[in-house]
Amino acid sequence: MDDEYAKLIRRMNPPRVVIDNNACEDATVIQVDSVNKHGILLDVVQVLSDMNLVITKAYISSDGVWFMDVFNVIDHNGNKIRDKEVIDYIQRVGVHVRLENNPSFAPSFRESVGVVPTEEYTSIELTGTDRPGLLSEVCAVLADLHCNVVNAEIWTHNTRAAAVVNVTDDSSGHAIKDPVCLSRIRDLLCNVLRGSDDPKTAKTTLSPPGVTNRGRRLHQIMFADRDYDRVERAGQGRYRDRDRDRSRLPNVTVVDCIEKDYTVVTMRAKDRPKLLFDIICTLTDMQYVVYHGVVQTARTEAYQEFYIRHVDGFPISSEAERDRLVQCLEAAIERRASEGMELELCTEDRVGLLSDITRIFRENSLCIRRAEISTQDGKANDTFYVTDVTGNPVDPKIIDSIRREIGDTVLQVKHDSYLSPKSPRTTTIGFLFGNFFKARSLQNFKLIRSYS
């Protein structure tokens, strides 16, 4: 009866999306009103992120049966959204359809390596211990098995690696459906991922098809792999450098709002695309509900503050849970961080291209920290974030040598995070959402745990 009543309420109160280009001088304002349900905030943020829109500010309120959010967004060039097709998509196809027709918010977690056949391609999920040359070995196996990589995304964090790779059969151009071939792909990739000193057991599973966002799926894979656990980082140059430069690390603080019975999470980190999506994705998958929140960006920094409870309506009550939440949010921020030199590859696509490129990187002692692979209309457009094998900046002479081998016009240097200016850091954390409640004094809040 409760489920039928909820459906009736949704039918009587369809979602309303208002897009206003006049309310703000430098951003498009998107207001979303809808009947509240768990996961609705993630649905909205995911639509905006999938369209590569940048959220500069956000005000979130979903305390009760109604969900009311306001987002200030710009495109990747920093301009307002004026394309009529994009605006229509957000209003009618994107947010509206997702809110009405997608009441379920999260599939169950699937660990290990999964192979998911669909009509267009076969989706392969990988997780294992990170090491230099790992992506090259994976790509070599796929090339030997006549698998063409259509698109992929690879993350590394805290000695762990995860990837979602979509492949087709190079002879047919379609998904691989032969059970024997699928089984061989799983077995060979598991052998590559299984390290002799890996304390975590590698597994292979055949998972049912799903429609989970690729970024969200990577978060789920790495969360299930417990990449948020703090490990000994001695001997790894990139971590020693980062420990000396605390401005590169996120600051996550957990606070109790005693009077209003919330747990307050504040986050400060270097701003980047999809940062809000990564935070909301993690909170949702950890079974927390955001009741109120505010997001602001200032220059290169992002500030986020959320008033949360468990899905059962209670705030966080144990020290262990607070510690785990901080670790998981720090990991969510760091996984997609663009560490190292950004290289962009644009060329004609062919079978084995990715295998050849990653082999050249490996032979020149480059380590791939993150990668985004895509193909469209016969063109490959790939982005790699690389360091040397110790995690330190790459020697420019090595990059020049690689570009001569691959082609100066094919491989371009886009950005180097080690050369980026350091953003200023403040010494105190203020509550961005402090004026929402009548009780404005910090005496109403009890500081529970702060990690930086």
Side-chain angles (χ1 to χ4, degrees):
M1 288 295 295
D2 290 341
D3 184 58
E4 291 301 320
Y5 177 73
K7 292 179 180 178
L8 175 62
I9 293 298
R10 285 199 296 270
R11 286 195 298 266
M12 294 176 61
N13 299 276
R16 186 172 69 97
V17 180
V18 177
I19 300 178
D20 189 347
N21 267 317
N22 299 318
C24 180
E25 182 179 351
D26 54 5
T28 298
V29 178
I30 300 177
Q31 180 178 333
V32 182
D33 299 332
S34 174
V35 174
N36 194 20
K37 66 181 180 66
H38 184 42
I40 189 173
L41 176 59
L42 177 58
D43 288 341
V44 175
V45 173
Q46 181 174 313
V47 169
L48 300 178
S49 298
D50 287 347
M51 300 183 70
N52 293 319
L53 300 181
V54 179
I55 300 173
T56 59
K57 290 183 180 181
Y59 303 94
I60 299 162
S61 179
S62 59
D63 198 347
V65 298
W66 201 252
F67 170 87
M68 295 175 288
D69 285 8
V70 178
F71 302 90
N72 287 20
V73 303
I74 55 177
D75 63 19
H76 64 282
N77 294 318
N79 301 319
K80 291 185 178 184
I81 314 303
R82 300 193 182 277
D83 189 313
K84 190 175 185 302
E85 291 185 3
V86 174
I87 292 175
D88 288 344
Y89 178 85
I90 296 174
Q91 287 180 318
R92 302 176 185 176
V93 181
V95 173
H96 186 80
V97 172
R98 192 173 185 86
L99 295 182
E100 283 200 310
N101 300 332
N102 189 24
S104 61
F105 74 96
S108 59
F109 288 161
R110 303 193 303 273
E111 294 182 314
S112 71
V113 180
V115 181
V116 184
T118 67
E119 292 299 322
E120 297 180 357
Y121 49 75
T122 299
S123 183
I124 304 173
E125 298 178 352
L126 311 170
T127 184
T129 301
D130 186 27
R131 66 175 186 274
L134 177 60
L135 180 58
S136 175
E137 295 176 37
V138 169
C139 293
V141 168
L142 293 175
D144 289 342
L145 294 172
H146 305 288
C147 298
N148 184 41
V149 178
V150 178
N151 56 69
E153 193 160 356
I154 300 95
W155 292 359
T156 64
H157 177 253
N158 210 11
T159 75
R160 306 303 295 171
V164 175
V165 184
N166 296 328
V167 302
T168 58
D169 187 305
D170 67 356
S171 59
S172 67
H174 299 296
I176 303 168
K177 297 184 178 180
D178 181 4
V180 175
C181 184
L182 292 174
S183 178
R184 189 178 179 208
I185 292 173
R186 291 196 303 270
D187 292 344
L188 291 178
L189 288 178
C190 254
N191 289 336
V192 170
L193 294 169
R194 187 183 296 115
S196 58
D197 58 345
D198 189 354
K200 301 181 181 181
T201 305
K203 299 178 183 178
T204 303
T205 59
L206 181 62
S207 305
V211 293
T212 306
N213 172 275
R214 189 167 64 192
R216 187 178 186 190
R217 188 66 198 118
L218 282 165
H219 278 300
Q220 291 176 343
I221 292 172
M222 299 202 86
F223 178 83
D225 199 41
R226 297 183 65 89
D227 74 310
Y228 54 85
D229 284 340
R230 297 188 175 104
V231 298
E232 179 61 43
R233 296 175 172 179
Q236 299 186 40
R238 62 175 175 146
Y239 292 119
R240 290 201 304 271
D241 289 342
R242 288 175 62 186
D243 288 341
R244 287 195 297 266
D245 181 11
R246 301 298 294 178
S247 67
R248 290 181 179 270
L249 297 175
N251 181 297
V252 180
T253 307
V254 177
V255 174
D256 268 3
C257 178
I258 299 175
E259 183 174 310
K260 299 297 181 180
D261 206 26
Y262 291 112
T263 295
V264 185
V265 177
T266 59
M267 182 280 299
R268 184 177 64 222
K270 180 180 178 181
D271 192 27
R272 60 165 175 79
K274 301 187 178 181
L275 178 61
L276 179 60
F277 169 79
D278 294 336
I279 295 296
I280 299 301
C281 174
T282 300
L283 289 173
T284 303
D285 284 342
M286 292 182 71
Q287 301 294 296
Y288 294 110
V289 178
V290 176
Y291 286 84
H292 304 286
V294 64
V295 175
Q296 293 185 3
T297 58
R299 294 185 179 179
T300 60
E301 277 195 303
Y303 303 84
Q304 300 180 11
E305 181 177 299
F306 304 105
Y307 288 69
I308 67 170
R309 293 179 186 143
H310 285 287
V311 290
D312 60 11
F314 292 98
I316 295 175
S317 58
S318 72
E319 187 73 10
E321 186 178 359
R322 295 185 189 100
D323 183 70
R324 182 169 178 262
L325 175 60
V326 170
Q327 291 184 48
C328 290
L329 290 177
E330 288 177 344
I333 295 169
E334 294 175 344
R335 287 169 191 151
R336 210 196 292 259
S338 302
E339 182 178 349
M341 182 179 290
E342 179 183 354
L343 303 177
E344 185 177 76
L345 177 81
C346 297
T347 187
E348 295 289 331
D349 189 31
R350 59 175 173 81
V351 176
L353 173 65
L354 190 58
S355 176
D356 292 340
I357 296 299
T358 53
R359 173 183 54 79
I360 293 173
F361 286 175
R362 184 192 71 227
E363 291 172 349
N364 285 273
S365 300
L366 295 190
C367 190
I368 298 172
R369 300 301 178 186
R370 189 165 69 89
E372 298 175 7
I373 312 300
S374 63
T375 59
Q376 187 173 7
D377 299 327
K379 295 282 187 179
N381 193 334
D382 305 339
T383 302
F384 303 92
Y385 298 87
V386 299
T387 65
D388 69 10
V389 292
T390 63
N392 291 314
V394 180
D395 187 342
K397 294 180 180 179
I398 295 178
I399 297 299
D400 291 340
S401 174
I402 294 174
R403 292 186 65 205
R404 285 193 296 270
E405 181 176 356
I406 296 176
D408 290 341
T409 59
V410 173
L411 187 67
Q412 300 283 338
V413 178
K414 303 298 291 184
H415 180 70
D416 191 343
S417 66
Y418 291 102
L419 301 179
S420 300
K422 298 175 184 178
S423 56
R425 301 282 292 186
T426 56
T427 57
T428 59
I429 298 176
F431 287 95
L432 300 174
F433 213 47
N435 291 330
F436 184 86
F437 299 112
K438 292 182 180 180
R440 301 181 184 181
S441 172
L442 292 180
Q443 294 177 354
N444 293 302
F445 298 91
K446 178 182 178 184
L447 183 62
I448 296 299
R449 191 79 182 244
S450 176
Y451 295 87
S452 60

